Amino acid sequence: MTYHAKVIAGGKIVIPADLRRELGIKEGDSLAIERDGDGAMVLKTFSQVVSEVQSAFRPYRDPAVSIVDELIAERREEARREGE
């Protein structure tokens, strides 16, 4: 479906209410604006950007290694050294 948005004073863009509801966009939310290869503007929600970044890094993640466990172990080692 195609929506119509209007640019108002100060360069603000008014996103149609139906589209805001559909995407879960609320007042005060941050959105990312990109340009695609054709120069078209692409508007993304914060959660869409996070999902894209997670997908981009997923191939580099080793499911056998817990980054959280590694971080906790590092912090405990630092605390042990500081206590000496």
Side-chain angles (χ1 to χ4, degrees), residues 27-45:
E27 187 174 323
D29 285 354
S30 292
L31 302 172
I33 302 171
E34 299 176 353
R35 292 182 65 181
D36 67 11
D38 297 326
M41 211 168 46
V42 179
L43 187 65
K44 297 179 181 182
T45 64

Side-chain angles (χ1 to χ4, degrees), residues 18-61:
D18 289 347
L19 185 56
R20 289 194 316 267
R21 278 192 291 274
E22 181 182 322
L23 296 174
I25 299 171
K26 296 182 179 49
E27 187 174 323
D29 285 354
S30 292
L31 302 172
I33 302 171
E34 299 176 353
R35 292 182 65 181
D36 67 11
D38 297 326
M41 211 168 46
V42 179
L43 187 65
K44 297 179 181 182
T45 64
F46 178 75
S47 62
Q48 288 171 318
V49 172
V50 168
S51 292
E52 287 179 4
V53 171
Q54 288 173 334
S55 293
F57 282 92
R58 192 165 286 118
Y60 306 104
R61 184 176 79 86

